[in-house]
Amino acid sequence: MNINPSFACCIVFLSVIVCFYTKLCLADYDNLQNTCPTSPLRTQAIFINGLPCKNPNNISAPDFKTSKLTQPGDTDNFLGSSVTIVTAAEFAGLNTLGLSIARTDLRVNGLVTLHSHPRASEMFFVSKGIVLAGFIDTQNQPFENILKKGDVFVFPRGLLHFCMNFGFDTATVLSVFNSQNPGVVSISDAMYESELDVIDKLTKRFITHHIRNVTLLSL
């Protein structure tokens, strides 16, 4: 059967485009085997883009379980918040799956200041309390919402975002990232201003009288 050379070139071109854009949608590369729990970390002699796999003969069920998020974090600090991120380095079973998890604890008026995750989007699930969450896009447009127990919010990859306890009791949030190592870039750590100045600017920018006086009444 004769195939038109132009048609064949179009098929090849489209295949390349599909593969290219499919890869762009992934935060991490796909795994090439069923499981690949992280090998116990020792002094590294070879550095790779990821983490080495455990010997398949030594893989067991406990590799796929973690209890690192069962206890609340310490919120007895200036910001009144605690964030615990569990990546493939701490949870062996996550290695090569393109996933990591986190727990955020907020005391009353607790705040997690503006930060971003350069390698992952974040799905933000409120398991307890009332939380104000928001992010800023590349046009400096803010998107914010008050979330109640059971609500889910999404922070797109690489965009600055924050959360704050907006209720009268402690709040707990669980997050899932689409990378086994999402990374964290904190604006407050990168600035020369005091944390108090950062909080004041953040509050004025996002938490308006309209939200406090009107939105809370509708909860």
Side-chain angles (χ1 to χ4, degrees):
M1 181 177 64
N2 293 327
I3 299 178
N4 188 307
S6 298
F7 177 75
C9 289
C10 289
I11 294 297
V12 172
F13 177 75
L14 289 175
S15 299
V16 172
I17 291 297
V18 169
C19 291
F20 178 72
Y21 280 103
T22 299
K23 283 299 181 185
L24 284 182
C25 295
L26 299 175
D28 293 342
Y29 285 101
D30 286 334
N31 54 310
L32 300 178
Q33 52 204 41
N34 290 332
T35 61
C36 178
T38 306
S39 175
L41 299 178
R42 299 186 179 88
T43 303
Q44 286 182 272
I46 300 176
F47 295 89
I48 61 175
N49 185 27
L51 294 168
C53 298
K54 191 175 183 180
N55 186 327
N57 296 324
N58 298 328
I59 294 175
S60 60
D63 291 326
F64 304 95
K65 174 187 174 181
T66 183
S67 300
K68 293 183 179 296
L69 302 182
T70 58
Q71 299 299 319
D74 182 11
T75 59
D76 186 17
N77 53 62
F78 183 77
L79 294 175
S81 63
S82 172
V83 180
T84 303
I85 298 180
V86 178
T87 69
E90 298 84 29
F91 184 7
L94 292 178
N95 197 30
T96 75
L97 299 185
L99 295 170
S100 54
I101 52 177
R103 172 174 176 155
T104 301
D105 292 288
L106 300 159
R107 73 185 186 201
V108 176
N109 295 322
L111 171 72
V112 176
T113 57
L114 283 171
H115 64 284
S116 67
H117 304 290
R119 293 182 289 274
S121 297
E122 177 180 356
M123 186 171 290
F124 189 83
F125 169 76
V126 178
S127 64
K128 176 187 176 183
I130 301 174
V131 177
L132 173 66
F135 66 87
I136 309 172
D137 70 6
T138 56
Q139 304 300 317
N140 288 325
Q141 180 178 355
F143 296 85
E144 57 188 13
N145 250 304
I146 292 179
L147 311 174
K148 297 175 289 182
K149 180 179 178 180
D151 286 341
V152 177
F153 198 67
V154 174
F155 300 126
R157 176 180 178 180
L159 296 186
L160 291 171
H161 57 278
F162 78 101
C163 66
M164 178 180 183
N165 190 335
F166 220 58
F168 302 101
D169 196 1
T170 57
T172 303
V173 179
L174 300 176
S175 297
V176 176
F177 304 90
N178 65 334
S179 171
Q180 71 175 44
N181 185 22
V184 180
V185 178
S186 173
I187 294 300
S188 60
D189 291 342
M191 298 172 65
Y192 292 103
E193 296 175 286
S194 69
E195 288 180 323
L196 187 61
D197 292 334
V198 174
I199 293 173
D200 183 60
K201 289 185 178 182
L202 179 64
T203 304
K204 289 179 180 178
R205 175 66 173 166
F206 288 98
I207 308 171
T208 64
H209 290 294
H210 173 75
I211 292 177
R212 281 198 177 279
N213 297 332
V214 177
T215 311
L216 275 177
L217 294 176
S218 65
L219 293 176

